[in-house]
Every structure is written in structure tokens, then in C-alpha cells.
Amino acid sequence: MSDSKEPRAQPLGLLEEEELITSGMNFFPRDFGFRQTRGYKSLAVSKNPSSQRLEQSKQDEISQDLSQLKAAVERLCRPCPWEWTFFQGNCYFMSNSQRNWHDSITACQEVGAQLVIIKSAEEQNFLQLQSSRSNRFTWMGLSDLNQEGTWQWVDDSPLSTSFKQYWNRGEPNNIGEEDCVEFNGNGWNDDKCSAAKFWICKKSAASCSRDEGELLSSASASPIAHVA
């Protein structure tokens, strides 16, 4: 048997090596953004400076528009603070926690308001509805603490005779020194001032320094009004 030898790989010449590497580079899709630089070992991702500038310009424009929008919102006139309800020129705050009657007065004073004083039948109906919808017993600013049977609001004004119709049947009964008044169901009830209940604060609504026409004019003149 004759010895057989496997053929040995012949070394490539410089030209053949260059050709092999160059042909291998063709396997990279051009859509990936690769390009061959001088020599054959470097790959780089192409960048478009003009596209980058356009993108930055758009971002700057959006940032400016947002700043103008924020400033415009802050200028809008709002008659009542957030979480307060507007009704016939006044703002009302319905609490989400409970306090006794005296602490409820303090809570309203701390926000520049009063424990609610009712001035009209329309206001009474509005407040009674708010209280009954939430199914809560809610303090109002009425008591006979100064003199038993003489009902006064927290501003010392007397209870109008026409308002006595809002007492629930059999009330006020003053069982156990019940000297403070709450919204209860569809009417009023007297209860102990030490009892913890929800409360309603009332204060006058803010007056707008600008009228609607002036506000609309300033909005239309603002660059943000033209943003698509």
C-alpha cells in the first residue's frame, strides 16, 4: 500500500488575501448603515448631522410650547380652589375626615373660610343634597350654645324663622345637651357638639381680574394657540 498524504493548504498571496476579505465584506447588508473605511478592518455607523439638528429643533419647540401652556393655565381665572365646589358666588368644601363641632370651626378658619352659614332656600337645598348624596352627617355653623333654644350662626346672626321648616320631625329635641346642628338625611338635627362628624366650609368665590374677552384675546395672541 502506498502512503497517501493530504494536500497541504497553500499560503495565500497578498492579493488573494485582500480579495477574500473584500468579498467577505459584501455579506453585510448596506441597509444596516455600515460602510467600509480605508483598510479592511474598520466598520462605522453613518450619522446624518442635518437629521440630528432637525430632531433637536423639534424637541426644543415642544419644550417651549409646554412652558407656554403651563403659563397660560396658571393665568386662567378659577373662582374656587381645587376640591372646592362653586355655587351662586360662593365656594364650599366638603370634608373627607371628621371632627367635633368646635374643631370643625377651626378647620374652616385655617383655610380662610367659615363653618357654613346658610343664607337662602336655594343654598339650603344645594347643601342638603350634597350631604344626603354622600350619606353623611355633616356639621353646619349653627348652635344654641349661647342660650338654650336660641339658635345662632357662627357669625352671631340669628336663625331666620323661615328656616325652621328644615328641622327633621321632632327636632330639635335637645336630648343630652344637643347644642350643635348637623345635616341629617333630608333635614336638620341637633346633636352633641363633641360628636365627630364631617363638616362644610364656605367662603366667597374669587373675582377674576380679567374678563373672558381679554383672556381669549391673550390666548389667541400666544404662539401656542397656533400649534397643530
Side-chain angles (χ1 to χ4, degrees):
M1 179 181 296
S2 60
D3 294 336
S4 61
K5 295 183 180 180
E6 295 181 358
R8 296 181 178 179
Q10 299 295 322
L12 297 176
L14 291 178
L15 291 178
E16 292 172 319
E17 183 179 356
E18 179 72 21
E19 181 180 358
L20 177 61
I21 293 174
T22 304
S23 62
M25 290 296 295
N26 294 331
F27 284 100
F28 290 94
R30 294 183 179 180
D31 292 340
F32 287 174
F34 293 115
R35 60 185 177 86
Q36 185 177 1
T37 59
R38 293 185 62 183
Y40 52 85
K41 295 183 180 180
S42 300
L43 294 176
V45 179
S46 63
K47 295 182 180 180
N48 190 333
S50 61
S51 176
Q52 289 181 328
R53 288 194 297 269
L54 179 61
E55 183 67 23
Q56 184 62 45
S57 176
K58 289 182 179 180
Q59 291 179 358
D60 292 343
E61 183 179 355
I62 292 173
S63 177
Q64 182 179 4
D65 290 343
L66 289 174
S67 297
Q68 292 175 349
L69 178 59
K70 181 180 179 181
V73 169
E74 291 175 349
R75 289 195 300 268
L76 291 176
C77 176
R78 181 175 176 83
C80 297
W82 296 108
E83 299 183 356
W84 292 60
T85 302
F86 176 82
F87 180 76
Q88 292 187 349
N90 292 297
C91 301
Y92 300 86
F93 175 76
M94 287 69 174
S95 75
N96 292 316
S97 58
Q98 300 181 66
R99 297 188 179 190
N100 64 44
W101 190 79
H102 294 283
D103 288 344
S104 296
I105 291 177
T106 301
C108 291
Q109 291 174 342
E110 288 174 349
V111 293
Q114 279 184 322
L115 193 58
V116 65
I117 298 173
I118 302 173
K119 298 290 188 180
S120 68
E122 292 80 10
E123 186 178 24
Q124 155 62 21
N125 293 337
F126 164 73
L127 294 171
Q128 194 77 56
L129 181 61
Q130 300 301 313
S131 180
S132 61
R133 277 180 175 176
S134 59
N135 196 26
R136 294 175 172 179
F137 301 147
T138 310
W139 287 128
M140 67 178 74
L142 184 65
S143 75
D144 67 346
L145 286 168
N146 291 333
Q147 182 178 346
E148 183 63 37
T150 300
W151 298 96
Q152 290 180 309
W153 298 103
V154 289
D155 64 353
D156 295 328
S157 61
L159 177 65
S160 172
T161 303
S162 63
F163 277 37
K164 294 181 179 180
Q165 63 177 307
Y166 300 121
W167 290 106
N168 285 331
R169 180 175 295 183
E171 303 297 341
N173 54 22
N174 193 37
I175 296 177
E177 296 298 320
E178 295 179 338
D179 295 322
C180 296
V181 183
E182 64 174 352
F183 293 100
N184 186 319
N186 295 320
W188 299 356
N189 174 61
D190 60 339
D191 201 355
K192 295 181 180 180
C193 301
S194 59
K197 301 180 187 293
F198 298 96
W199 71 90
I200 301 177
C201 298
K202 172 185 175 182
K203 64 181 178 179
S204 299
S207 59
C208 296
S209 58
R210 303 182 180 189
D211 59 22
E212 184 178 359
E214 183 180 353
L215 183 60
L216 290 175
S217 297
S218 62
S220 61
S222 174
I224 196 170
H226 305 290
V227 176

